């Protein structure tokens, strides 16, 4: 599948190398690496045959005949064959880098079929004698036979003495036991915090689930990791990203401590994945960074020039802010996680300081309010379009608001696997009319001129970009259901899906001049895939693996 020829020593390879084209005219500046095969550049309609890399950049892209004159005596040759292909380095335009590392070191509750499976993990952890808090993430009551919210009583039965804090898959709800509530001092008299809910039982007692900002009442009691633990989480996330072919991640909300560790690890050569960092919107972090200004790294290793804001919660926990009531809970329209005044204040300050506002908005009301805010800012601040404002998720839109993304120059940062994870229960939340009008409307956004930058929102979803690519072009679950896809008119073409994970994601990070496609002069980030995802049957995409990952011309992963 991949033939690697190192030309430094001819030896028994001399006859093979002699058969390859060689130009003495190119010996003054030979390529360090030449790759041949079926190559999708990300910005051309048809695949090309070869490219050459010198240092950390592509220096020639085109036909084999045009590239081979750059072969020198020390050039490494890679021939990609047997149905494998090369694509640009893949980007995740919305992930939580430390969160990914944390998920790899805590209880993984994704795909648990029922409460009993989770309780067994908690029971085993409590019995291990490890002490401290039991923390995990990934449960989704919508996947259980009984989709009712879980209760503290169930956790109390398996871990009565150890505080337990288990985040829902979307990160917008937490399941806790009585011990955790006691540590946090939460009682029936504790009021719901702004932007959050404490679910209560029939007697008014805390039931064991905390929604959105209410989670902080407990989570702030959990001892924070020290620098060594954070470094290990970053290392785990970096290794996982490289294994999956992710060469850049847009880190959706980091504090100064995490950023300094990113920079330190990058300087030490211990962090390969490129990071485009959105600072968190806490008052301390925004005050520091808006005064400091953006950190723009010409090498794109660690760049800090965006801020993550929150307009609403998540659809699964009925926190997404809707224009009309939830179909399955009349009288409920979701939550404003941040006041409109605070959103306006921070977004304006961000633009003035040269930072890109990236605002979480899932419900149609939240998306409209953020589009209105961005439109007002565009009328008062000349730099609004320059910073390239984004809406993170843009899941449920009123049809009248869809064209506003393109018209206002607002990037839609979408996560295709959110659609395929949510489709079994989203119709119950929203009703048929809202689903048909504007649920995960990728095709409508593209056709009205919006940029789509694709990601996963890991660890909410799995970080595999091939799973996201599959979801974008099929709108089906991995088992191929439903036939034809869910709202198939909103599917993306394969070239559009690839761009959303490469060149358009790079545009969303102000990096399209250097990243996102295989083009002369750009940084040499590319991935070798075992199958041609641009032509094979869609089901086979999920059987495709990453064979090699290169960042800046350097191989950072090879499948064993």
């Amino acid at each position: 599948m991949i033939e690697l020829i190192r030309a430094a020593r001819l030896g028994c390879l001399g006859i093979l190398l002699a058969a390859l084209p060689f130009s003495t005219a190119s010996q003054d500046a030979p390529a360090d690496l030449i790759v041949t095969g079926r190559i999708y550049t990300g910005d051309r309609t048809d695949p090309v045959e070869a490219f050459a890399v010198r240092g950390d950049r592509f220096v020639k892209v085109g036909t084999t005949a045009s590239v081979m004159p750059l072969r020198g005596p020390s050039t490494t040759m890679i021939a990609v064959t047997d149905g494998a292909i090369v694509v640009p380095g893949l980007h995740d335009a919305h992930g939580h880098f430390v969160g990914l590392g944390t998920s790899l070191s805590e209880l993984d509750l994704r795909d648990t079929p029922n409460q009993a499976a989770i309780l067994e993990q908690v029971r085993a952890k409590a019995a291990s004698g490890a002490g401290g808090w039991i923390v995990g993430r990934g449960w989704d009551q919508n996947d259980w036979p009984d989709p009712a919210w879980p209760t503290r009583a169930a956790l109390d039965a398996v871990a009565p003495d150890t505080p337990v804090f288990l985040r829902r898959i979307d990160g917008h709800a937490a399941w806790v036991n009585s011990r955790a509530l006691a540590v946090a001092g939460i009682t029936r008299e504790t009021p719901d915090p702004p932007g959050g809910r404490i679910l209560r039982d029939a007697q008014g007692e805390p039931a064991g689930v905390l929604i959105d900002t209410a989670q902080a009442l407990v989570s702030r009691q959990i001892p924070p990791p020290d620098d060594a633990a954070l470094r290990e989480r970053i290392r785990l996330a970096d290794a996982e990203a490289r294994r999956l072919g992710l060469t850049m991640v847009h880190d959706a909300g980091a504090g100064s401590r995490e950023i300094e560790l990113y920079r330190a690890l990058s300087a030490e050569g211990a962090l390969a994945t490129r990071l485009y960092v959105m600072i968190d919107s806490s008052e301390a972090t925004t005050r520091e960074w808006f005064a400091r200004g953006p950190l723009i790294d010409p090498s794109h290793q660690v760049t800090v020039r965006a801020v993550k804001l929150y307009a609403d919660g998540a659809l699964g926990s009925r926190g997404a802010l809707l224009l009309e009531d939830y179909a399955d809970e009349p009288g409920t329209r979701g939550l404003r996680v941040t006041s409109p005044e605070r959103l306006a204040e921070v977004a304006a300050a961000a633009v003035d300081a040269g930072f890109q506002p990236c605002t979480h908005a899932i419900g149609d009301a939240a998306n409209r309010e953020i589009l209105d805010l961005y439109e007002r800012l565009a009328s008062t601040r000349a730099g609004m379009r320059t910073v390239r404002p984004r809406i993170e998720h843009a899941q449920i839109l009123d049809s009248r608001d869809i064209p506003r993304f393109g018209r206002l120059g607002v990037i839609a940062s979408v996560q295709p696997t959110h659609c395929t994870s949510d489709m079994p229960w989203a119709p119950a939340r929203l009703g048929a009319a809202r689903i048909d009008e504007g649920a995960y409307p990728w095709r409508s956004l593209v056709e009205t001129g919006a940029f789509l930058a694709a990601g996963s929102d890991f660890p909410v979803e799995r970080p595999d970009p091939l799973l996201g690519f599959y979801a974008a072009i099929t709108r089906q679950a991995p088992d191929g259901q439903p036939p034809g896809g869910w709202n198939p008119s909103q599917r993306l073409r394969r070239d559009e899906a690839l761009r959303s994970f490469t060149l358009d994601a790079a545009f969303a990070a102000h990096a399209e001049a250097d990243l996102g496609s295989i083009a002369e002069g750009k940084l040499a980030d590319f991935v070798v895939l075992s199958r041609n995802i641009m032509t094979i049957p869609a089901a086979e995409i999920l059987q495709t693996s990453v064979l090699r990952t290169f960042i800046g011309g350097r191989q950072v992963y090879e499948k064993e």
Side-chain angles (χ1 to χ4, degrees), residues 36-109:
T36 61
R38 195 165 185 82
I39 298 162
Y40 289 87
T41 65
D43 60 1
R44 302 187 187 193
T45 302
D46 298 319
V48 300
E49 296 177 332
F51 62 75
V53 175
R54 185 184 302 121
D56 62 355
R57 294 187 180 262
F58 298 110
V59 293
K60 187 67 177 177
V61 179
T63 64
T64 303
S66 69
V67 171
M68 291 310 295
L70 292 176
R71 182 178 68 84
S74 298
T75 301
T76 298
M77 302 292 302
I78 296 178
V80 178
T81 60
D82 298 335
I85 65 167
V86 179
V87 297
L90 299 169
H91 295 210
D92 192 306
H94 185 112
H96 303 274
F97 206 64
V98 172
L100 176 59
T102 300
S103 72
L104 295 169
S105 58
E106 296 179 344
L107 295 183
D108 183 358
L109 309 178

Side-chain angles (χ1 to χ4, degrees), residues 135 178 309 554:
V135 179
S178 295
L309 300 166
R554 180 171 67 92

Side-chain angles (χ1 to χ4, degrees), residues 241-318:
R242 290 182 277 121
R243 183 183 73 83
L244 296 171
L246 291 171
T247 57
M248 175 177 254
V249 169
H250 302 193
D251 190 30
S256 295
R257 183 182 175 213
E258 290 84 359
I259 293 169
E260 291 311 311
L261 284 175
Y262 292 158
R263 297 181 67 192
L265 288 166
S266 179
E268 295 166 12
L271 175 63
T273 308
R274 303 185 193 278
L275 294 178
Y276 179 76
V277 182
M278 309 172 201
I279 62 172
D280 67 49
S281 56
S282 69
E283 189 171 345
T285 304
T286 54
R287 186 189 311 114
E288 173 190 350
W289 280 93
F290 290 171
R292 182 176 180 175
L295 173 67
I296 300 175
D297 182 355
S299 70
H300 299 281
Q301 287 302 135
V302 180
T303 288
V304 184
R305 65 181 303 177
V307 57
K308 174 70 180 298
L309 300 166
Y310 288 88
D312 64 350
L315 191 64
S317 50
R318 298 186 185 87

Side-chain angles (χ1 to χ4, degrees), residues 79-414:
V80 178
T81 60
D82 298 335
I85 65 167
V86 179
V87 297
L90 299 169
H91 295 210
D92 192 306
H94 185 112
H96 303 274
F97 206 64
V98 172
L100 176 59
T102 300
S103 72
L104 295 169
S105 58
E106 296 179 344
L107 295 183
D108 183 358
L109 309 178
R110 287 177 298 191
D111 302 324
T112 43
N114 48 45
Q115 281 196 45
I118 295 173
L119 296 173
E120 185 52 42
Q121 287 195 50
V122 174
R123 185 197 308 276
K125 185 70 173 179
S128 70
W133 285 69
I134 296 175
V135 179
R137 180 168 180 161
W139 60 273
D140 186 351
Q141 83 282 5
N142 295 306
D143 294 337
W144 301 343
D146 179 2
W149 288 112
T151 67
R152 60 189 170 96
L155 289 175
D156 293 347
V158 296
D161 303 317
T162 305
V164 180
F165 184 85
L166 308 176
R167 285 194 190 274
R168 192 179 180 279
I169 190 167
D170 58 14
H172 287 265
W175 180 16
V176 298
N177 65 350
S178 295
R179 179 62 182 149
L181 292 169
V183 170
I186 297 175
T187 68
R188 64 181 298 140
E189 283 76 35
T190 304
D192 290 346
R197 291 172 62 195
I198 301 170
L199 297 191
R200 304 172 193 271
D201 62 22
Q203 290 72 47
E205 297 288 343
V209 172
L210 309 172
I211 306 293
D212 284 312
T213 61
Q215 296 175 90
L217 301 175
V218 170
S219 63
R220 64 191 179 202
Q221 304 298 325
I222 303 173
D226 59 19
D227 282 357
L230 266 181
R231 279 175 166 261
E232 175 61 12
R233 294 177 187 186
I234 295 168
R235 186 196 67 77
L236 288 171
D238 182 45
E240 183 72 350
R242 290 182 277 121
R243 183 183 73 83
L244 296 171
L246 291 171
T247 57
M248 175 177 254
V249 169
H250 302 193
D251 190 30
S256 295
R257 183 182 175 213
E258 290 84 359
I259 293 169
E260 291 311 311
L261 284 175
Y262 292 158
R263 297 181 67 192
L265 288 166
S266 179
E268 295 166 12
L271 175 63
T273 308
R274 303 185 193 278
L275 294 178
Y276 179 76
V277 182
M278 309 172 201
I279 62 172
D280 67 49
S281 56
S282 69
E283 189 171 345
T285 304
T286 54
R287 186 189 311 114
E288 173 190 350
W289 280 93
F290 290 171
R292 182 176 180 175
L295 173 67
I296 300 175
D297 182 355
S299 70
H300 299 281
Q301 287 302 135
V302 180
T303 288
V304 184
R305 65 181 303 177
V307 57
K308 174 70 180 298
L309 300 166
Y310 288 88
D312 64 350
L315 191 64
S317 50
R318 298 186 185 87
L321 191 64
L322 302 180
L323 292 168
E324 302 293 339
D325 291 359
Y326 277 85
D328 59 357
E329 192 174 314
T332 299
R333 293 193 179 184
L335 296 168
R336 275 189 180 81
V337 172
T338 310
S339 72
E341 295 76 18
R342 172 66 178 167
L343 283 173
E345 174 190 355
V346 178
V351 176
D352 291 343
F355 283 78
Q356 176 187 48
C358 305
T359 308
H360 165 117
I362 289 180
D364 48 15
N367 276 278
R368 176 171 293 176
E369 289 182 8
I370 298 308
L371 289 168
D372 289 347
L373 170 60
Y374 286 171
E375 188 165 19
R376 290 196 303 272
L377 288 174
S379 68
T380 60
R381 285 166 168 79
M384 186 59 178
R385 278 192 179 259
T386 303
V387 298
R388 301 180 184 176
R390 296 168 47 157
I391 288 183
E392 307 300 311
H393 310 307
Q395 289 182 10
I396 313 302
L397 303 176
D398 184 276
S399 60
R400 292 166 293 182
D401 292 320
I402 292 173
R404 299 177 70 194
F405 281 80
R407 187 169 71 247
L408 296 173
V410 176
I411 296 165
S413 172
V414 301

Side-chain angles (χ1 to χ4, degrees), residues 432-456:
R434 277 183 293 201
I435 291 292
D436 293 341
E437 180 179 3
Y440 313 86
W442 312 322
R443 164 64 47 210
S444 297
L445 284 164
V446 169
E447 289 181 349
T448 54
F451 274 94
L452 293 190
S456 67

Side-chain angles (χ1 to χ4, degrees), residues 498-514:
L498 182 62
R499 282 179 64 97
S500 72
F501 281 99
T502 55
L503 191 57
D504 288 353
F507 177 85
H510 298 268
E512 74 280 5
D514 288 314

